[in-house]
Amino acid sequence: MKKITRLLACALSLALLAGCAPSTPSETGSGDSPDGTHTFTYGISSEPDYLDPAICMNSNTSAVLAQLYFPLFRYDEHGNVQNMACESYTVSDDGLTYTFKLVEGNTWSDGQPVTAADYEYGMKRSIGYGPDSAYAYLLYSTVAGGAEANENMLDVADMTDVGIHALDDTTLEITLAAPCPYFTGLLSNVVAYPLRSDFAVEHESTWANDPAVPTNGAFKLEAVRDKEEVVMVKNEHYVYADQVQTDTLIAKIITDPQAQLSAFQTGELDLALYVPADVSVNYADDPALIHLDPVVSNTFLWMNCTGETNPALANADVRRALSMAIDREQLLVLIGANDTKYPLYGYVPKGMADADGGDFRENADADGRYADYDLEQAKALMESAGYNENNRMPLTISYIGTSGNTDICVALQAMWKEIYVDVELSAAEQKAYAQARKAGQYEVATGSTSADYLDPFYYLERWVSYNQSYKQVNDTTYDAMIEEANAQTDPAKRMEMLHEAEKYLVEENAYTIPLYGSGAVALMNTAVSGLKHDPTNSVYFDGLTY
């Protein structure tokens, strides 16, 4: 990337402080080089975890993995499932058996052919990995024999009863425990990526950041520099390598949105994905501003409902009071949100289709919001639980220490003060935060989730007991509601039951507290085009043109 002088960087910073939008980088393209190769650098907001598809649990890790691997399917920008490594597939009449045929030329970065057995191994390894495989449930709750294999953390060689089998080098057969109308969408998730058994050790991930590990996507790994960047280079063995114009792809770790904006302006970044909220206003007429819409995403609060870290949170009335005390419209004002964010009154965000073809969230809100603002009722609930000005409730909010998360937590701290709650803020880096939350070492924690497949079940299933490595919610009634809904073959009845489950989750029990839904804006070098994105908030760089 080209660098400019310290003097110009200072001038740009002063322009920002004055509220002016600085000019965009040169349209010659910061990735141009004398030998005609292209380098493209994009910003991510935290350090990725190990680059092991089985344990990926955040968007920054998936933003790297999506470039390294070639899945059977992925979503297009309109949310339609798109064939990738799968050339074609058939489904049995009972909806249980899927037979996939792989595309020709699917090759690992070391030149070996990718086989159906590699997809089988990757999926089964995710199923048996253990509690750290946060999204393995997408497979084990769906595939025949998967639940038992997951529970027992079986090795792949012992999963003879799991319904994933390579019939030959190019044919993969998957048998489900029950029909699943969105199954091909599930196979776009990282836990369904192929892996080589001679590199990807089972039940651990320390191998994953080694550049020697073969991958089959448009790019292969060159280096992981802790807290700095992940460097990828073009995979010459990628099945569609002739369509990839980018020679070097760099994911730069910049945790502050203002810093990402500055890095874009100085030419350090070609794409700033994590930018300040006012960018959509300040850059409204700038061709560098891009809208990554639609995006299905929510921001919410994890509630440790066990009472193990804060006994008060075992009381549903206290949790409901915390939810009612949040003025979500005011929250967006306080955090400086732009028009890409909207108040969220249920856990499922906008962008999921309902049975009538409308929007699942909008239909639910029309019948009555599950998490509406009611300060007086919130106070009454707290008082009935024994709290008042003379007996205030202590509470700690844990969060990843970015400025955006800090703004959210400071706003909540002020709102909850009104209902006799004294909030302490606890910030941590991404890895420390993730480890603590997965171990249940938190009271309340901030969270965001982009949809990994486009069905409301994705959001609602995460709160069933068997999908939580740490069971902050362990409610057999909710488990049964979700299981019965997904077993329903009538689409309209199924959606009706999912609405009922969400109401039970959010309004009646406040097992989680929704805050807002999000779209996304970014800033991109105008000399480059061809960025691909989809409603699951994934971005792909295999189609960039210069």
Side-chain angles (χ1 to χ4, degrees):
M1 305 289 290
K2 291 181 179 177
K3 306 294 183 183
I4 65 173
T5 65
R6 184 182 300 272
L7 180 61
L8 179 55
C10 292
L12 289 172
S13 296
L14 289 172
L16 283 171
L17 291 173
C20 300
S23 59
T24 54
S26 166
E27 293 192 1
T28 59
S30 58
D32 292 344
S33 67
D35 62 1
T37 60
H38 299 292
T39 295
F40 189 88
T41 301
Y42 66 104
I44 55 178
S45 61
S46 66
E47 184 177 8
D49 298 326
Y50 280 120
L51 298 174
D52 178 354
I55 64 166
C56 174
M57 62 178 296
N58 64 72
S59 59
N60 290 302
T61 305
S62 64
V64 175
L65 287 171
Q67 320 315 320
L68 299 176
Y69 289 92
F70 188 49
L72 293 172
F73 301 93
R74 75 185 188 198
Y75 287 103
D76 67 16
E77 63 181 290
H78 304 294
N80 303 308
V81 177
Q82 181 181 29
N83 287 40
M84 299 302 289
C86 173
E87 180 181 87
S88 61
Y89 69 96
T90 59
V91 185
S92 61
D93 291 341
D94 61 5
L96 296 179
T97 302
Y98 287 69
T99 305
F100 305 94
K101 200 71 175 178
L102 301 187
V103 297
E104 294 184 5
N106 189 3
T107 307
W108 292 106
S109 53
D110 64 357
Q112 289 193 29
V114 179
T115 68
D118 297 325
Y119 286 91
E120 177 186 355
Y121 180 78
M123 293 183 205
K124 286 183 172 178
R125 179 182 174 277
S126 293
I127 288 173
Y129 188 101
D132 286 339
S133 185
Y135 289 99
Y137 76 91
L138 298 177
L139 295 175
Y140 72 69
S141 65
T142 309
V143 174
E148 183 177 354
N150 172 266
E151 182 178 359
N152 295 307
M153 292 178 59
L154 294 184
D155 291 342
V156 171
D158 297 325
M159 294 189 192
T160 54
D161 293 332
V162 175
I164 306 173
H165 301 286
L167 303 184
D168 56 44
D169 283 351
T170 61
T171 310
L172 180 70
E173 181 183 86
I174 301 181
T175 302
L176 308 185
C180 179
Y182 47 84
F183 182 63
T184 56
L186 297 185
L187 297 181
S188 69
N189 189 267
V190 291
V191 292
Y193 286 2
L195 288 172
R196 283 266 290 276
S197 60
D198 51 339
F199 286 89
V201 180
E202 296 187 62
H203 312 296
E204 62 103 346
S205 302
T206 55
W207 56 270
N209 287 7
D210 185 348
V213 174
T215 57
N216 72 323
F219 299 91
K220 59 184 179 180
L221 186 66
E222 182 172 89
V224 177
R225 301 187 176 103
D226 289 348
K227 300 182 181 179
E228 183 181 348
E229 63 187 13
V230 178
V231 181
M232 296 160 275
V233 295
K234 180 177 176 178
N235 174 13
E236 296 293 349
H237 294 287
Y238 174 53
V239 62
Y240 302 122
D242 60 336
Q243 300 176 22
V244 179
Q245 296 185 20
T246 303
D247 300 283
T248 303
L249 181 66
I250 301 173
K252 184 77 67 174
I253 301 161
I254 303 178
T255 61
D256 181 74
Q258 188 64 53
Q260 279 213 18
L261 175 60
S262 297
F264 176 77
Q265 288 301 329
T266 61
E268 184 182 359
L269 291 182
D270 290 297
L271 175 65
L273 291 167
Y274 183 52
V275 292
D278 59 4
V279 158
S280 66
V281 176
N282 292 339
Y283 288 76
D285 299 322
D286 195 313
L289 181 70
I290 58 174
H291 288 264
L292 302 178
D293 292 327
V295 171
V296 180
S297 177
N298 68 357
T299 295
F300 62 96
L301 297 177
W302 301 88
M303 310 293 291
N304 193 333
C305 306
T306 64
E308 293 172 353
T309 55
N310 188 326
L313 294 178
N315 185 335
D317 281 346
V318 169
R319 300 193 302 268
R320 290 173 60 222
L322 292 172
S323 180
M324 289 179 183
I326 300 172
D327 183 339
R328 288 159 178 81
E329 292 186 5
Q330 181 64 14
L331 174 66
L332 295 184
V333 173
L334 293 173
I335 66 174
N338 54 42
D339 57 5
T340 66
K341 293 180 173 60
Y342 58 91
L344 189 58
Y345 301 104
Y347 185 66
V348 178
K350 295 178 182 179
M352 297 286 194
D354 210 336
D356 63 356
D359 186 87
F360 185 90
R361 171 81 281 117
E362 292 175 355
N363 284 352
D365 289 350
D367 291 334
R369 297 169 174 175
Y370 300 153
D372 217 348
Y373 176 59
D374 190 336
L375 183 59
E376 293 308 312
Q377 178 63 13
K379 285 183 177 179
L381 287 171
M382 291 296 288
E383 290 166 0
S384 69
Y387 296 101
N388 52 53
E389 287 293 355
N390 298 316
N391 182 34
R392 299 180 66 83
M393 172 184 154
L395 182 66
T396 298
I397 306 179
S398 301
Y399 61 99
I400 300 169
T402 64
S403 60
N405 284 332
T406 300
D407 290 344
I408 293 170
C409 294
V410 168
L412 293 176
Q413 184 181 49
M415 291 180 183
W416 286 346
K417 185 178 181 180
E418 298 297 312
I419 59 166
Y420 321 120
V421 179
D422 293 330
V423 173
E424 179 179 341
L425 305 184
S426 177
E429 293 184 343
Q430 164 75 40
K431 288 185 177 179
Y433 165 88
Q435 290 170 356
R437 191 182 59 72
K438 288 189 332 188
Q441 298 170 356
Y442 70 96
E443 297 177 22
V444 173
T446 60
S448 295
T449 301
S450 300
D452 289 313
Y453 62 91
L454 299 179
D455 188 280
F457 189 73
Y458 166 76
Y459 282 96
L460 299 176
E461 190 192 24
R462 77 179 310 161
W463 301 109
V464 298
S465 60
Y466 54 78
N467 280 344
Q468 302 170 74
S469 55
Y470 173 78
K471 293 179 172 54
Q472 70 164 71
V473 176
N474 193 4
D475 187 327
T476 56
T477 298
Y478 185 75
D479 289 356
M481 294 175 80
I482 291 297
E483 290 169 1
E484 290 169 9
N486 213 40
Q488 177 58 244
T489 57
D490 181 339
K493 182 63 176 176
R494 177 175 176 270
M495 287 297 176
E496 179 185 336
M497 295 171 75
L498 290 177
H499 279 296
E500 292 171 357
E502 187 189 29
K503 182 175 183 178
Y504 181 85
L505 175 77
V506 176
E507 181 178 81
E508 297 178 28
N509 290 285
Y511 285 137
T512 181
I513 295 178
L515 297 177
Y516 58 82
S518 299
V521 295
L523 292 170
M524 183 166 166
N525 188 334
T526 56
V528 187
S529 59
L531 180 71
K532 300 175 184 176
H533 61 89
D534 67 39
T536 70
N537 208 21
S538 296
V539 292
Y540 308 97
F541 303 100
D542 53 305
L544 294 180
T545 58
Y546 298 80

